[in-house]
Amino acid sequence: MAFNTLLTASNNGIYSITINRPDKMNALNIELIGELERALDEAIQSDDVRGIIITGTGDKAFAAGADIAEFASFRAEQAKALAENGHRIFNKIEQCTKPVIAAVNGFALGGGCELAMSCHMRIASTHAQFGQPEVKLGVIPGYGGTQRLVRYIGRARATEFLLTADMIDAGTALQLGLVNYVTAPDQLMIKCEEIMKKVAGKSPLVVKQVLDCVDAYYHKQTDGFELEIQEFSNCFNTDDFKEGTSAFLEKRKPSFKGT
Ligand code: COA
């Protein structure tokens, strides 16, 4: 599938999505958000894809937010549609049944920070900067930033960053638990691929079950403990469970088929 605002590639079970508006700091305009959803759908539907990595073109920006020039003239009704659409797509990333890693290679501001936070894991290069600078524009985050930042770093620090618009450097992001790892820029994709390779060796069924159960923690309408009991018992009817336990007992490496 060809895109105007993204570069995509599929290699060794990893589908990579590169946000590609370098002259605009990879700002997320409406076209890009729509293409992001199409790329995600393609990755989700492909049996060959075991994981997704989202990054930005160049070494300056992951994404410097929603496109300010595009929404500057919006009124409330258009802004509501923009936010609803963004929420829907970022929820799709968060609820994806394949792991999604944000490889944060520079500024992840506003919608860029929100996009990174909707991914299951974040790996940052040493010069990455996170932040929700919307208040400087007289607006608040609209793609989930007020909620996900609190989840990751707690109410007090999240409130501070949301109100001051201060940027969070990679080291602080690591300390606060916003990112999983910080790497040198040239090691960023290598680290992401290393994690994906480990996950790819597991049963795709259990990967989906773990992601669903973790996601349930954040949904008031689902009892995550109940879901875990259900999914745990479901494992016992699968070939992959038989393969995993047999391989352990026979002292060999398992070969999972996803059935
Ligand atoms: N929307 C639209 N355009 C953006 C953008 C955004 N969120 N962020 C950067 N750009 C554009 C700039 O307007 C500029 O375009 P131009 O060359 O046509 O003038 C280009 O990207 C380069 O940005 P510039 O500001 O010149 O780079 P910089 O290195 O001096 O600063 C940032 C980088 C990221 C700190 C700065 O661009 C910035 O603060 N961006 C906005 C961040 C933001 O408020 N995001 C939340 C949006 S809701």
Side-chain angles (χ1 to χ4, degrees):
M1 214 178 276
F3 300 102
N4 288 329
T5 62
L6 305 175
L7 301 171
T8 60
S10 194
N11 279 317
N12 298 324
I14 301 173
Y15 188 98
S16 56
I17 300 175
T18 305
I19 300 165
N20 191 33
R21 294 187 74 212
D23 53 331
K24 295 293 172 192
M25 290 277 167
N26 295 328
L28 309 172
N29 63 6
I30 293 169
E31 181 186 21
L32 193 153
I33 292 278
E35 291 194 338
L36 181 62
E37 183 173 31
R38 285 206 284 125
L40 274 171
D41 288 342
E42 183 171 85
I44 292 166
Q45 280 153 23
S46 166
D47 288 339
D48 298 336
V49 173
R50 300 296 308 277
I52 300 163
I53 298 175
I54 302 179
T55 192
T57 282
D59 59 0
K60 279 196 173 158
F62 173 75
D67 192 313
I68 300 167
E70 190 174 59
F71 72 55
S73 61
F74 279 13
R75 303 291 293 168
E77 208 165 299
Q78 290 163 291
K80 188 162 187 260
L82 185 79
E84 281 174 347
N85 192 46
H87 272 258
R88 189 179 57 74
I89 295 165
F90 286 15
N91 286 341
K92 186 183 269 198
I93 296 173
E94 193 169 62
Q95 287 157 20
C96 183
T97 53
K98 302 176 184 189
V100 187
I101 301 181
V104 183
N105 56 309
F107 291 113
L109 302 176
C113 186
E114 291 164 307
L115 172 60
M117 290 195 292
S118 72
C119 298
H120 300 130
M121 292 169 259
R122 281 151 296 288
I123 318 296
S125 82
T126 40
H127 68 286
Q129 300 253 26
F130 296 80
Q132 299 291 159
E134 287 88 345
V135 289
K136 288 203 282 188
L137 303 169
V139 67
I140 72 166
Y143 288 162
T146 63
Q147 303 303 295
R148 292 196 176 97
L149 192 60
V150 176
R151 278 185 199 165
Y152 288 124
I153 71 172
R155 181 172 179 156
R157 292 311 297 274
T159 305
E160 177 193 336
F161 290 118
L162 288 162
L163 290 179
T164 61
D166 284 350
M167 288 195 207
I168 309 170
D169 61 47
T172 308
L174 183 66
Q175 201 190 349
L176 292 173
L178 183 59
V179 301
N180 297 52
Y181 298 98
V182 176
T183 71
D186 63 349
Q187 295 299 304
L188 182 62
M189 293 310 280
I190 293 169
K191 184 68 192 174
C192 295
E193 284 162 12
E194 183 188 300
I195 295 171
M196 285 299 191
K197 210 172 151 197
K198 285 187 190 172
V199 179
K202 311 296 183 293
S203 161
L205 297 177
V206 302
V207 169
K208 175 184 180 309
Q209 288 168 313
V210 168
L211 291 171
D212 283 348
C213 288
V214 170
D215 191 56
Y217 179 83
Y218 295 106
H219 294 283
K220 291 192 186 79
Q221 67 274 28
T222 314
D223 182 333
F225 287 102
E226 278 303 320
L227 183 66
E228 187 186 276
I229 292 168
Q230 189 54 51
E231 293 295 356
F232 173 76
S233 62
N234 287 343
C235 293
F236 287 70
N237 287 341
T238 68
D239 296 329
D240 282 352
F241 172 72
K242 284 189 193 71
E243 169 62 10
T245 48
S246 305
F248 176 81
L249 296 171
E250 292 161 16
K251 299 187 190 304
R252 61 175 172 82
K253 258 186 102 170
S255 170
F256 295 114
K257 301 274 184 290
T259 55

